[in-house]
Amino acid sequence: MAERERSIHEMLKDTPSMNDSCGAVHTGTEGGSLGMGIGMGMGVSGSNSSHSIGTGNPLSMSTSLPLRNHSAPTTPMSPTNPHTTNGFLTSADGSSSLIRTSASKIDSLKNWSISTYKCTRQIMLEKLGKSQRTVDSELEAQIEQLRETQRKYLSILRLTRAFSSHFQHVVASQQSLADAFADLAQKNPELQKEFICNSETQRNLTKNGELLLNALNFFISSVNTLCNKTIDDTLLTIRQYETARIEFDAYRMDLENSKPELTQAASSLEETQRSFAHHKDQYEKLRGDVAVKMQFLDENRIKVMHKQLILLHNAIAAYFSGNAMALESTLKQFNIKLKSPNNITGSWLEQ
């Protein structure tokens, strides 16, 4: 026993120091420290088995401290989870609805791209004179006449607004002049009668001018509604009709060019015919809508302009002839509320 203990101490003395070792391999694994403990324990217990220090032995001694990984453990996504599929969270019907939505958007984009391409090609061919366009001579003449009428009415509207603005400055000047004459009548007794007479004249002109301004504003409001709302609504339908005409001609040309080539492709030919029939129905429907709208617009335009032209004529004639009673009766005839542009609007409590 003493000899065995002495051999162990001699073995430990012959072992090089861990601090002086330059060839120590710091593996950072826990297996090395485990191997060192097992090797030393087995050596002390006097086991007959020998364990050499080397990299080939999994229980070999290590001269490095164990390095532990303190990072948070990662939980792999289980494919058996009902809410995960290939790492993506999905619901029970989410994948199918997502696929349907994506397919619908792709189809819509595809149809829009094809239609836009065909319409652009049709427009370019029409401008180059290489394609025939569908022409409704009577309807297009009416459309052109309507656009010309709108341009002329807008010109009348612009001139009437300018006249109303200038005349409003005249009325404001007359009001200021009447106030100045009245003030001078108080300060000049020797000319009091003359100043008062001129002041009353300017006040009467101001009153009649305000009545004429009310008539002008009513005329401007009615013509503006006719030009920028009623006629614009019909022109919007006309623009839709023109777009439908271009689409109809584009698909008509596509059908004519596809017939000799698609003799054997029956499905493609049927699809082209179905698209052509759809755009033809849409074109004819919008053409009917345009004809009806233009008829009603023409009747409404004549009625509105007849009333407004009579109002404008009677009001201006009564004002410049000095017939105040005729001017007031004209405004009452057309139910125009008398509103002076020089009056200051009261507070909301007074209203």
Side-chain angles (χ1 to χ4, degrees):
M1 185 67 181
E3 293 176 358
R4 182 176 299 175
E5 290 178 356
R6 188 169 47 254
S7 63
I8 290 174
H9 288 295
E10 290 175 358
M11 290 173 61
L12 292 174
K13 289 180 180 180
D14 296 335
T15 302
S17 176
M18 294 172 59
N19 295 330
D20 297 335
S21 177
C22 298
V25 179
H26 299 273
T27 59
T29 59
E30 297 182 3
S33 60
L34 180 62
M36 180 179 66
I38 294 174
M40 291 178 65
M42 293 180 67
V44 172
S45 60
S47 174
N48 294 328
S49 341
S50 62
H51 297 279
S52 61
I53 299 176
T55 58
N57 189 353
L59 298 179
S60 60
M61 295 176 62
S62 174
T63 59
S64 63
L65 295 176
L67 299 177
R68 299 180 182 273
N69 186 8
H70 296 284
S71 61
T74 58
T75 304
M77 303 184 103
S78 174
T80 60
N81 191 349
H83 298 286
T84 59
T85 304
N86 295 329
F88 296 96
L89 294 177
T90 59
S91 60
D93 298 331
S95 58
S96 59
S97 62
L98 180 61
I99 292 174
R100 286 196 299 270
T101 304
S102 302
S104 177
K105 291 182 178 180
I106 291 174
D107 292 339
S108 300
L109 180 61
K110 179 182 177 182
N111 294 332
W112 175 83
S113 302
I114 294 174
S115 178
T116 303
Y117 164 73
K118 290 183 178 181
C119 292
T120 305
R121 181 187 62 183
Q122 178 65 24
I123 293 173
M124 296 300 298
L125 291 176
E126 288 179 2
K127 290 183 177 180
L128 295 174
K130 296 183 179 180
S131 176
Q132 295 180 353
R133 61 188 297 268
T134 303
V135 179
D136 190 338
S137 302
E138 183 180 357
L139 185 60
E140 291 189 1
Q142 294 176 0
I143 292 173
E144 184 59 31
Q145 184 179 1
L146 175 62
R147 286 173 172 159
E148 182 65 22
T149 300
Q150 187 190 34
R151 286 192 290 268
K152 291 180 178 179
Y153 282 8
L154 288 173
S155 177
I156 292 175
L157 181 62
R158 184 178 64 256
L159 294 173
T160 308
R161 280 174 173 166
F163 175 74
S164 176
S165 176
H166 297 324
F167 189 73
Q168 186 173 355
H169 290 296
V170 172
V171 172
S173 300
Q174 289 174 342
Q175 179 66 42
S176 301
L177 192 59
D179 295 338
F181 284 146
D183 183 63
L184 288 171
Q186 299 296 328
K187 297 179 180 179
N188 295 275
E190 65 279 4
L191 296 174
Q192 185 176 12
K193 183 179 179 180
E194 289 79 4
F195 278 128
I196 290 177
C197 181
N198 281 276
S199 177
E200 290 177 354
T201 302
Q202 295 299 323
R203 290 188 189 278
N204 290 331
L205 290 174
T206 301
K207 179 183 176 181
N208 295 333
E210 290 173 352
L211 295 177
L212 180 58
L213 279 174
N214 282 283
L216 289 173
N217 291 332
F218 185 75
F219 177 83
I220 290 171
S221 176
S222 300
V223 176
N224 179 63
T225 302
L226 177 64
C227 291
N228 295 322
K229 291 185 179 180
T230 310
I231 296 180
D232 267 359
D233 179 67
T234 304
L235 290 177
L236 176 61
T237 307
I238 290 174
R239 286 191 289 270
Q240 294 174 354
Y241 156 75
E242 292 174 345
T243 303
R245 197 276 307 165
I246 294 174
E247 292 178 350
F248 166 70
D249 284 340
Y251 281 89
R252 175 181 56 81
M253 188 183 69
D254 191 31
L255 180 63
E256 292 175 355
N257 296 334
S258 299
K259 280 184 178 180
E261 300 176 0
L262 300 178
T263 305
Q264 298 179 354
S267 59
S268 300
L269 181 59
E270 290 178 359
E271 178 66 24
T272 305
Q273 292 175 345
R274 187 161 48 250
S275 299
F276 168 74
H278 169 70
H279 287 88
K280 181 180 179 182
D281 294 340
Q282 188 175 5
Y283 164 72
E284 292 178 349
K285 177 181 179 300
L286 285 172
R287 182 174 61 179
D289 293 344
V290 167
V292 172
K293 278 196 171 185
M294 289 187 66
Q295 181 180 357
F296 283 113
L297 173 64
D298 195 52
E299 296 175 358
N300 187 30
R301 177 185 61 83
I302 294 173
K303 186 185 300 184
V304 170
M305 291 305 297
H306 175 75
K307 177 181 178 180
Q308 295 302 319
L309 290 173
I310 291 177
L311 164 67
L312 185 65
H313 172 269
N314 292 343
I316 290 179
Y319 174 80
F320 285 101
S321 64
N323 194 345
M325 294 181 61
L327 182 59
E328 291 181 1
S329 63
T330 299
L331 269 65
K332 290 179 181 179
Q333 178 185 356
F334 290 94
N335 299 321
I336 299 175
K337 295 180 180 181
L338 303 180
K339 183 179 180 181
S340 174
N342 297 324
N343 289 342
I344 300 176
T345 304
S347 65
W348 63 273
L349 291 175
E350 296 176 354
Q351 296 176 358

